[in-house]
Amino acid sequence: MTDPTKDLSLEEKASLGSGADFWTTKAVGAVPSLMLTDGPHGVRKQTGASDHLGLAGSEAATCFPPAVGLGQCWDTDLIHRVGEALGREARSLDVDVLLGPGVNIKRDPRCGRSFEYFSEDPVVAGVLGAAWVTGVQSVGVGTSLKHFALNNAETDRMRSSSDVDPRPMHEIYLHAFAHIVRTARPWTVMCSYNRINGVYAAENHWLLTELLRETWGFDGAVVSDWGAVRDRVAAVRAGLDLEMPGTGPASDAEVVDAVRAGDLSQDAVDRAAAAVAGLARRVQPGREAAVTADLDDHHRLAREVAARSIVLLKNDTDLLPLTAGTALAVIGEFAQSPRYQGGGSSHVNPTRLDIPLDEIRAQAGAGTVTFAPGFTTDGSGDAATLRNEAVQTAADAEVAVVFLGLGADQESEGFDRDDIEIPWGQLDLVAAIAQVQPRTVVVLSHGGVLRLQPVADAVPAILDGALLGQAGGGAIADVLFGAVNPSGRLTETVPVRVQDCPSYLDFPGENSHVRYGEGIHVGYRGYDARALEVTFPFGHGLSYTDFEYSEMMVASDETGVVVEVTVTNTGERAGREVVQVYLTKTDSRVVRPPRELKGFATSAVLEPAASEKVSIHVARSDIAFWDERRGDWTVEDGAYVVGVGASSRDLRVTDIVDVTGDEQPVPITWQSTLAEALADPAVAAAMADMLPAGASDGGDALGTDIVKVMGSMPLDRLKRFGMASDALDDLLTTD
Ligand code: GLC
């Protein structure tokens, strides 16, 4: 295969590395111009004015559930199908690269862009993000894994430095990116706006070259977020290949001048040009294929996946599913003006939009369906009058279905929330309704997590609709009336209070720094470590049927751990179970959360009394922790508790599995402490004459354990006190 950049001049190669305009790259020599556009849950192709904030219009396209909803289906096959449909629509609109998936970790529920990300957990984000990538790329359209990396807040996002320690960096924030790069091979990676420990992502050689390319084996093109490049030469030197949008000839000239001045290697420019040419080569077959998009079929898929993304949070007295013919009161503005996607660059112009109230009426049978808005989202109208009307409407019906949530102007790309409250007096409204109508169902629409304890205390049934895309209205009706048995699971914890969030004191940061003070204790890891009550735990979701877990088997080998369990439908309705596997290391030498999700699988639809043996493989690399002493991954030797269940706080069966570790002993040096030295048999023997008799069993004159008291003293200090035996001199390595 000939390299189309081989005969290009330095100027031509430099020009390949910066866009022609907002959405396209330059055509240079045999390398064609490519189109890149948003977004993760629908194609946002602009034909007129261009912007990266979803302000100007775009072509009609299917609006699937944003990641906050899509992630709740926990089903990689389903997400792959959504990816394929998105790829088909992108291709049919002549889009070569679809800018997604967004896999940044939901570190804090106040992040304005939580709606666009999958989870607080890196395994969920990685596995589901990989399915999205393989789906889109299966039809010859590229993807752009974003935002690489540690873009976990919107506040000051183009300058702020995410200041994070190595363990959370690798175990939490980079984990999904590594998994997706290695297993799904995205054709591009989008570097983020922010700095990481003080260095801009776009100029971060460690991130873009040493880690992404040399360690993970990424072989695609690194694209900047739109406007993330502030120094083109530094960016190309670090490993950036394509600056977007294009910033004109001056940017290319900077590159040429830097090479000529010896400030930038020709190799770096060659690498960037080859990466863009390689991307063009990858999209070519898709360009030539006759890829079609059936928008009616995609709407049906959007409805199917939306229904699978709904989480049944509560269902006391089995109020749900509803029976057709029941007299219903539908309350809330969102029932007639649905909130179905987020704001900003991902905003889609839907091909059609289901209205929940209409869809409920379509399935209500002979039952009357009355409606009252209950509140307005723009502060208009008289709140008391609206509330009284809604309360009366609810009282007059057999069941009230109350739609609550966040408005489009309360969360978006570009800014973070100050709290996790439900606005406009909705909590008072639902409390008033529950007083007169005990058979009340709440349906939630939101991107970021909400404080739900008052709702959970007030009503017997709650559906979490998150954001469900254009077909969400039909999906909600399908679940309300039981046409679909809900199997969605939360991918983010719902805390009792925002103050309980592990990141609460360190979000969103200030003076362009945000300190990740909670370390690895993100989301459920943090709530569990502090034994905090939560309103609804990570992984939670109910069903209209019940499942039992039995016959658990665990085994470990050189690839990792295999977990098998039999799941049986013990209820009266067919349904799916999402089986979750958590690992615990109780005797670890490092700090660990009480449990960590390491694998999951969604069962097939099980008929009543049917069973399925579910097998989940936990890769050895997912058992490892980041050993800061070595600057590398380490698998700790010994026993691990394997917990399998229906959520992080509903483990049904547990077992113990032994794993062979690969820990490398840390050499004892003069900087090692007395305690570390005594833990090494050879060094301890050489020190035998050094300590008074009984020094380490509390028998000395002081009645204390000298080793405990002095254990943290480095050997070189003991030596300066004349307490180190000469035998150590020839035994210890020097640093
Ligand atoms: C935006 C977003 C990014 C998007 C890009 C193009 O600022 O951060 O996710 O793909 O610009 O719109």
Side-chain angles (χ1 to χ4, degrees):
M1 183 177 304
T2 57
D3 171 5
T5 66
K6 186 167 60 68
D7 299 326
L8 295 181
S9 68
L10 171 60
E11 287 75 4
E12 288 169 322
K13 287 177 181 176
S15 70
L16 268 178
S18 182
D21 54 32
F22 217 84
W23 300 118
T24 66
T25 63
K26 300 189 187 83
V28 179
V31 182
S33 169
L34 306 176
M35 172 171 277
L36 302 83
T37 199
D38 297 305
H41 57 267
V43 181
R44 182 175 76 96
K45 178 180 178 181
Q46 293 180 322
T47 48
S50 294
D51 72 277
H52 61 306
L53 296 173
L55 305 175
S58 58
E59 302 276 343
T62 304
C63 180
F64 288 96
V68 63
L70 186 63
Q72 296 189 152
C73 78
W74 292 61
D75 187 324
T76 53
D77 294 339
L78 188 55
I79 291 178
H80 182 98
R81 289 170 53 204
V82 171
E84 181 187 340
L86 288 167
R88 288 184 172 280
E89 292 195 27
R91 193 68 268 156
S92 65
L93 289 169
D94 296 323
V95 172
D96 298 302
V97 177
L98 197 55
L99 301 174
V103 298
N104 295 101
I105 290 299
K106 302 195 201 200
R107 171 177 176 249
D108 189 288
R110 292 165 288 175
C111 176
R113 216 165 172 186
S114 281
F115 71 89
E116 209 173 327
Y117 302 142
F118 285 110
S119 181
E120 67 189 26
D121 178 84
V123 168
V124 171
V127 170
L128 300 188
W132 192 96
V133 168
T134 54
V136 172
Q137 293 185 168
S138 69
V139 292
V141 172
T143 60
S144 196
L145 180 62
K146 67 188 185 181
H147 305 87
F148 190 55
L150 286 114
N151 181 183
N152 304 101
E154 292 302 289
T155 303
D156 199 11
R157 66 172 175 161
M158 297 186 79
R159 293 183 314 181
S160 182
S161 176
S162 299
D163 299 337
V164 63
D165 293 334
R167 273 196 76 192
M169 164 99 82
H170 289 279
E171 294 182 30
I172 304 292
Y173 297 100
L174 294 176
H175 190 281
F177 288 96
H179 176 80
I180 297 169
V181 165
R182 285 169 159 157
T183 63
R185 311 202 68 75
W187 293 352
T188 80
V189 166
M190 181 190 291
C191 75
S192 58
Y193 287 123
N194 54 284
R195 291 180 288 153
I196 299 157
N197 293 332
V199 179
Y200 278 98
E203 302 167 21
N204 201 314
H205 188 269
W206 169 78
L207 184 77
L208 303 183
T209 297
E210 295 164 54
L211 183 69
L212 178 60
R213 287 195 166 94
E214 294 170 359
T215 305
W216 296 351
F218 176 65
D219 64 357
V222 178
V223 179
S224 74
D225 198 342
W226 267 235
V229 174
R230 57 175 208 132
D231 179 337
R232 172 89 183 278
V233 172
V236 174
R237 185 183 302 121
L240 183 91
D241 302 313
L242 177 60
E243 173 194 38
M244 290 303 287
T247 54
S251 173
D252 300 339
E254 288 165 7
V255 170
V256 172
D257 295 346
V259 171
R260 297 230 162 94
D263 295 333
L264 178 65
S265 72
Q266 173 76 45
D267 289 350
V269 179
D270 292 350
R271 178 220 70 230
V276 175
L279 178 61
R281 185 170 57 249
R282 280 177 155 154
V283 304
Q284 193 55 35
R287 285 185 154 198
E288 293 164 359
V291 174
T292 58
D294 178 334
L295 298 182
D296 290 334
D297 186 40
H298 289 179
H299 186 74
R300 284 188 290 273
L301 174 61
R303 179 164 177 157
E304 176 188 351
V305 69
R308 292 285 307 282
S309 302
I310 291 173
V311 178
L312 178 59
L313 293 175
K314 185 179 181 185
N315 191 24
D316 290 357
T317 67
D318 290 337
L319 178 54
L320 292 176
L322 302 175
T323 307
T326 304
L328 299 177
V330 176
I331 310 292
E333 181 57 33
F334 294 122
Q336 66 178 359
S337 307
R339 172 94 198 288
Y340 59 96
Q341 63 173 321
S345 62
S346 68
H347 197 82
V348 178
N349 172 17
T351 57
R352 52 190 280 192
L353 181 60
D354 288 358
I355 304 301
L357 179 59
D358 298 344
E359 297 297 331
I360 289 171
R361 283 187 164 131
Q363 297 198 35
T368 58
V369 178
T370 53
F371 171 74
F375 60 94
T376 58
T377 58
D378 59 6
S380 62
D382 177 81
T385 305
L386 287 163
R387 182 182 312 165
N388 294 339
E389 176 201 16
V391 169
Q392 189 57 53
T393 304
D396 295 344
E398 291 178 89
V399 173
V401 181
V402 183
F403 284 71
L404 304 178
L406 280 187
D409 58 354
Q410 293 173 316
E411 57 180 345
S412 166
E413 173 181 347
F415 63 87
D416 296 316
R417 286 189 290 162
D418 297 325
D419 55 47
I420 59 172
E421 293 305 305
I422 299 177
W424 305 311
Q426 294 176 72
L427 288 181
D428 295 338
L429 170 65
V430 74
I433 288 173
Q435 288 291 326
V436 302
Q437 178 47 271
R439 292 159 56 84
T440 293
V441 183
V442 162
V443 180
L444 298 167
S445 303
H446 62 96
V449 151
L450 299 170
R451 184 172 68 89
L452 293 178
Q453 196 59 54
V455 180
D457 294 342
V459 302
I462 306 172
L463 288 180
D464 183 357
L467 295 176
L468 295 173
Q470 65 183 52
I476 289 168
D478 290 341
V479 170
L480 282 172
F481 289 96
V484 172
N485 182 356
S487 58
R489 298 290 185 269
L490 292 180
T491 64
E492 185 178 8
T493 305
V494 180
V496 171
R497 312 174 310 150
V498 69
Q499 293 86 346
D500 293 344
C501 297
S503 52
Y504 179 69
L505 295 176
D506 289 314
F507 186 92
E510 59 186 12
N511 302 323
S512 291
H513 280 270
V514 52
R515 166 124 186 77
Y516 287 44
E518 73 282 2
I520 58 175
H521 293 102
V522 178
Y524 69 90
R525 289 169 164 83
Y527 300 113
D528 292 353
R530 292 173 295 157
L532 284 176
E533 286 305 312
V534 295
T535 301
F536 298 109
F538 171 81
H540 172 75
L542 303 176
S543 171
Y544 293 151
T545 188
D546 298 301
F547 296 95
E548 268 184 9
Y549 290 59
S550 62
E551 299 170 353
M552 179 175 178
M553 187 285 297
V554 294
S556 70
D557 61 21
E558 67 283 354
T559 69
V561 171
V562 174
V563 183
E564 283 183 3
V565 71
T566 298
V567 176
T568 302
N569 182 344
T570 55
E572 295 166 8
R573 282 175 177 265
R576 285 183 180 84
E577 177 67 324
V578 177
V579 178
Q580 302 162 41
V581 172
Y582 294 83
L583 280 193
T584 298
K585 181 77 174 140
T586 54
D587 59 348
S588 178
R589 67 170 171 79
V590 294
V591 172
R592 295 208 189 218
R595 63 194 65 80
E596 297 180 279
L597 181 83
K598 294 298 180 183
F600 62 89
T602 298
S603 76
V605 175
L606 297 179
E607 294 299 327
S611 296
E612 178 183 336
K613 177 173 282 190
V614 176
S615 179
I616 293 165
H617 181 258
V618 177
R620 184 175 175 83
S621 57
D622 280 340
I623 300 173
F625 74 95
W626 182 261
D627 189 343
E628 293 190 359
R629 299 180 314 177
R630 297 176 52 223
D632 200 354
W633 294 99
T634 292
V635 173
E636 204 167 9
D637 194 78
Y640 291 75
V641 177
V642 183
V644 182
S647 89
S648 58
R649 296 200 175 178
D650 180 10
L651 299 183
R652 305 287 181 83
V653 287
T654 60
D655 203 340
I656 306 285
V657 67
D658 277 318
V659 175
T660 303
D662 58 13
E663 290 189 274
Q664 311 296 322
V666 176
I668 299 299
T669 68
W670 286 108
Q671 278 64 52
S672 303
T673 65
L674 176 60
E676 288 164 350
L678 291 176
D680 181 305
V683 179
M687 299 171 69
D689 60 346
M690 199 186 94
L691 295 172
S696 60
D697 60 10
D700 65 278
L702 304 177
T704 55
D705 180 338
I706 287 184
V707 169
K708 213 169 188 177
V709 171
M710 296 177 62
S712 59
M713 186 173 279
L715 297 180
D716 61 0
R717 253 45 69 78
L718 288 170
K719 184 173 185 175
R720 290 178 68 81
F721 291 158
M723 293 176 65
S725 66
D726 297 341
L728 283 177
D729 280 321
D730 53 14
L731 184 66
L732 292 189
T733 59
T734 50
D735 266 357

